[in-house]
């Protein structure tokens, strides 16, 4: 089993739709969790950190379930500019390495 | 201020050659990471530096890969006897320190092609 797995995608949704991405991780001792966004042929950029209590930033909501080793990202009212690959990232128990999932590609269509 | 920079942006080399990839982190960032990313995959961790020392090199695929950060700032990833399978985008990232929620800032990457 891979350390971090994500919905394979791609997700093609119309503007204004709500879309949810799922991510699971295998190491229960993982320390911290993130969602990064990567545009085509660009570097990844932090979208949001994922805290145990869940957190929201505008149209984006992230949730963490440590018991199930599951992380989610919800995007409401999708915009064309949300089209990108979304990477789930888990920081390992040592705190010294980060494991990226394979990413889920989102295309928001007009 | 300047972000993370990487040079060269593209590197084409022949199988068996030696290459060096450079990363210049954000000033003051003590943590530096190298990743490589193949098409359609997420970045794969290679090595992490805290200051001058390699705190975790568990992701280096074999002994052809080596990285240094002699003064705790600029880092160089060195690949000996390159193979076609080494072709990928090599990404460098830095963060302010090792706080568990510290953001990593990525450079634009070096696209390595081994012919």
């Amino acid at each position: 089993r891979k350390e971090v797995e994500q919905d394979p995608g791609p997700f093609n949704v119309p503007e204004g739709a709500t879309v949810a991405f799922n991510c699971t991780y295998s190491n229960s001792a993982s320390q911290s969790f993130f969602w990064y966004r990567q545009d085509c042929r660009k570097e990844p950029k932090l979208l949001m950190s994922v805290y145990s209590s869940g957190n929201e930033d505008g149209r984006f909501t992230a949730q963490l379930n440590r018991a199930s080793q599951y992380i989610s990202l919800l995007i409401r009212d999708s915009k064309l500019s949300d089209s990108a690959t979304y990477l789930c990232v888990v920081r390992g128990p040592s705190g010294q390495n980060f494991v990226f999932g394979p990413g889920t590609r989102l295309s928001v269509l007009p | 201020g300047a972000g993370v920079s990487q040079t060269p942006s593209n590197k084409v080399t022949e199988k068996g050659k030696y290459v060096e990839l450079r990363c210049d982190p954000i000033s003051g960032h003590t943590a530096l990471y190298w990743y490589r990313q193949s098409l359609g995959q997420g970045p794969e961790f290679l090595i992490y530096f805290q200051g001058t020392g390699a705190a975790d090199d568990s992701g280096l695929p074999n002994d052809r890969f080596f990285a240094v950060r002699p003064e705790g700032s600029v880092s160089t990833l060195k690949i000996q006897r390159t193979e076609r399978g080494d072709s990928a985008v090599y990404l460098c990232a830095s963060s302010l320190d090792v706080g568990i929620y510290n953001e990593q800032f990525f450079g634009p990457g070096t696209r390595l092609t081994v012919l």
Side-chain angles (χ1 to χ4, degrees), chain A residues 88-100:
Chain A
C88 176
V89 186
V90 175
R91 188 166 195 163
S94 68
Q96 294 180 338
N97 69 325
F98 290 79
V99 183
F100 281 72

Side-chain angles (χ1 to χ4, degrees), chain A residues 30-46:
Chain A
S30 297
Q31 286 200 8
S32 49
F33 311 89
F34 309 85
W35 284 102
Y36 274 72
R37 170 195 168 125
Q38 187 171 27
D39 293 293
C40 189
R41 299 180 78 87
K42 298 287 189 180
E43 70 272 23
K45 292 185 179 178
L46 180 67

Side-chain angles (χ1 to χ4, degrees), chain A residues 74-96:
Chain A
L74 183 77
I75 306 175
R76 290 180 298 278
D77 188 23
S78 301
K79 310 291 185 191
L80 295 176
S81 58
D82 294 334
S83 297
T85 295
Y86 290 82
L87 297 160
C88 176
V89 186
V90 175
R91 188 166 195 163
S94 68
Q96 294 180 338

Side-chain angles (χ1 to χ4, degrees), chain A residues 2 31-34 36 38 41 43-44 46 49-52 87 91 94 96-98 100-102, chain B residues 33 35 37 40-43 45 48 55-56 58 91 98-104 106-108 111:
Chain A
K2 291 185 179 177
Q31 286 200 8
S32 49
F33 311 89
F34 309 85
Y36 274 72
Q38 187 171 27
R41 299 180 78 87
E43 70 272 23
L46 180 67
S49 303
V50 187
Y51 303 116
S52 295
L87 297 160
R91 188 166 195 163
S94 68
Q96 294 180 338
N97 69 325
F98 290 79
F100 281 72
Chain B
Y33 307 81
Y35 298 85
Q37 187 172 25
Q41 301 296 316
F45 170 80
Y48 155 66
D56 185 345
S58 62
L91 293 163
V98 294
I100 64 169
Y101 277 107
N102 269 341
E103 178 180 355
Q104 289 185 81
F106 282 83
R111 185 173 298 275

